[in-house]
Amino acid sequence: MIEPRFYTCATPKEGEGCQFFQWFEEDFSPRALEMITHLNHRRIYLEEKLKLVEENLSKNVEKKKALKEEKKQLIREKLKMETEKNKMGRQMKICVVCLVVLLFALMINLK
């Protein structure tokens, strides 16, 4: 049972109550003090852990932003390299065609 932490007049205030009020200070039991201390330490520990988690989250959000930018840059570079590869492929085909034409012309001249 929870004991009241204050005393008041038993007569209702609407009646002729004297409006007496006094805090009741009772010493806590050693077990209650131990639990209060334990819970306070636990609260401090959890607050510190929460702070670390929030800092890590903030760092990870920044890392995620940086990685997104890096991904975008890599995609741009990949597209640029694919374009250059296609251009070189077309140039290679032109060179092969020119080489075939040149060899054909040389074969005709040798006959």
Side-chain angles (χ1 to χ4, degrees), residues 48-101:
E48 289 172 356
K49 191 167 186 170
L50 176 62
K51 183 179 177 183
L52 290 174
V53 168
E54 287 173 339
E55 288 173 1
N56 285 338
L57 177 62
S58 177
K59 289 177 186 176
N60 287 338
V61 166
E62 291 301 317
K63 285 180 184 178
K64 184 179 178 182
K65 286 179 184 177
L67 288 172
K68 278 186 175 182
E69 283 303 314
E70 186 177 345
K71 180 181 176 183
K72 287 178 185 178
Q73 180 64 29
L74 289 171
I75 289 171
R76 285 191 292 269
E77 289 178 20
K78 179 183 175 189
L79 290 173
K80 185 177 176 183
M81 291 177 81
E82 286 176 353
T83 302
E84 192 171 321
K85 176 186 166 190
N86 291 338
K87 181 180 176 183
M88 291 176 78
R90 287 190 301 273
Q91 289 174 347
M92 181 65 84
K93 288 177 186 176
I94 291 171
C95 286
V96 169
V97 168
C98 289
L99 186 59
V100 168
V101 169

